[in-house]
Amino acid sequence: MTQASPRPLDGITVISLEHAIAAPFCTRQLADLGARVIKVERPGSGDFARGYDQRVDGLASHFVWTNRSKESLTLDLKQEAAGGILDALLAKADVLVQNLAPGAAARMGLSFEALHARFPQLIVCDISGYGEGGPYEKKKAYDLLIQSEGGFLSVTGGPGENEMAKAGCSIADIAAGMYAYTGVLSALMLRGKTGVGSRIDVSMLESLVEWMGYPMYYAYDGAPPPPRAGAAHSTIYPYGPFPTGDGGTIMLGLQNEREWAVFCEKVLLDPALASDERFSANFKRSENRDVLRQIIIDGFASLPLGEVVARLEQAQIANARVNDMHGVWQHPQLQARDGWREVDSPAGKLPALLPPGRNGAFTPRMDAVPALGQHTQGILAELGFSAGEQADLAAGGVV
């Protein structure tokens, strides 16, 4: 089907030396907006995220999630002949995104300074664990390690000494990928004003620490940090999961005194509880949460989940069901908003969620997840390599 309306990044070419999640997540967002993303992968093995699992009809779940709408070019960057191919690509490109091992890009002559001298229009986005400079510059970094260094684990999980919990998704990678994405967009806008490219230095640590702003300021100047509270809010109460009489679980979210009074009257059917001195302000409810939790559990003990939800909705109290992944696949709101599309892949058609932040002026690009090296021949031909030259490159393991 022909794209009727232009997308914001139509005509923009992105070269990505990427693996795992942070850089691929960034470049997939750019592809969603219409950019041509050429993903450079190792011949034979490719992005190591291709091998994380085989849960999506034999494909890796992480890879399917972060790599649709891209072209896969195999290229052994350690071979001299690969340098000319990469240079030819960069000469026509707008953006280079890389999250290779610390220092690897610079050793290959791909630092911003070296590239800017040859390709002044090129925007370079470097994603690393800790950023350039400082004692951790060359330290290896993976998502869980950054969750640890950035303090996320210290405030996530249960209250016990050994009950820290990691996020169930790659939150540090996602944070870095999103700052890289917005950084590239702002650099494109800046280039529109200055005519030259710029460098974006994205640190996974700084990306996640920015997201830790609330607990950091809560613990400002040596104050105690927010306690770990499992799935409940650490400082607002009642705000978290509660069991219902039929074995279900409801997630409550009360934010202010008006909601507390309505909750007592219309949900617990105990209006007098609202004026109980133990619970007359949020900080008191939080301090006495164990007692209040039991009161709420007792109030829900004879009620099925559906009845609790009905009462909460009637009282206009924020609530949610605790869905598992199967529940999310079937979520009625995603279905009602027509949120799902199909994309091609080496394993056939796969469902994919429309990018958040829908813009009525254009349709996001949602093309296939590429097979390893699927576009190598086409890209080389585009660069002027004959069939014989391509065969020589393949025989030499360059592509």
Side-chain angles (χ1 to χ4, degrees), residues 28-29 32-33 68 339 352-359 364-366:
R28 200 217 77 193
Q29 317 301 313
D32 289 345
L33 296 184
R68 68 171 181 249
L353 187 67
L354 278 170
R358 303 180 193 179
N359 188 319
R365 182 181 177 196
M366 299 186 71

Side-chain angles (χ1 to χ4, degrees), residues 120-333:
Q121 87 291 347
L122 187 66
I123 293 162
V124 177
C125 180
D126 298 320
I127 306 173
S128 62
Y130 297 98
E132 183 177 347
Y136 283 42
E137 177 181 13
K138 298 186 184 304
K139 190 176 177 70
K140 282 189 173 182
Y142 300 117
D143 182 84
L144 176 56
L145 307 182
I146 298 298
Q147 289 190 38
S148 180
E149 287 279 359
F152 183 88
L153 295 185
S154 74
V155 297
T156 307
E161 184 176 346
N162 298 312
E163 293 184 67
M164 290 187 299
K166 69 179 287 294
C169 61
S170 306
I171 188 170
D173 282 320
I174 294 168
M178 289 307 292
Y179 283 115
Y181 166 53
T182 56
V184 168
L185 294 179
S186 64
L188 287 166
M189 294 175 67
L190 181 62
R191 191 182 68 175
K193 298 178 179 181
T194 66
V196 296
S198 55
R199 184 197 178 211
I200 306 147
D201 176 10
V202 178
S203 153
M204 290 172 64
L205 178 65
E206 291 165 1
S207 299
L208 188 60
V209 169
E210 167 63 24
W211 288 12
M212 297 299 293
Y214 145 64
M216 286 176 64
Y217 279 114
Y218 190 88
Y220 179 69
D221 199 22
R228 292 195 300 272
H233 197 286
S234 58
T235 58
I236 303 174
Y237 205 81
Y239 195 151
F242 293 87
T244 59
D246 58 354
T249 301
I250 186 70
M251 187 72 70
L252 297 181
L254 279 78
Q255 292 274 5
N256 54 54
E257 300 314 305
R258 181 192 62 78
E259 290 182 345
W260 167 243
V262 173
F263 177 73
C264 293
E265 177 187 355
K266 295 189 176 181
V267 179
L268 294 182
L269 308 183
D270 185 2
L273 187 64
S275 57
D276 189 311
E277 187 58 29
R278 296 171 297 174
F279 313 129
S280 60
N282 174 69
F283 76 92
K284 293 181 180 181
R285 292 192 293 275
S286 191
E287 288 173 353
N288 295 292
R289 65 174 57 203
D290 290 344
V291 175
L292 181 52
R293 176 174 174 78
Q294 191 58 53
I295 291 173
I296 295 173
I297 289 174
D298 291 344
F300 288 173
S302 62
L303 303 175
L305 176 61
E307 175 61 23
V308 174
V309 170
R311 288 191 185 185
L312 290 166
E313 289 295 311
Q314 193 274 330
Q316 297 185 10
I317 299 297
N319 66 90
R321 297 172 185 265
V322 181
N323 279 320
D324 59 14
M325 291 299 95
H326 302 112
V328 176
W329 275 114
Q330 301 299 324
H331 200 290
Q333 184 68 5

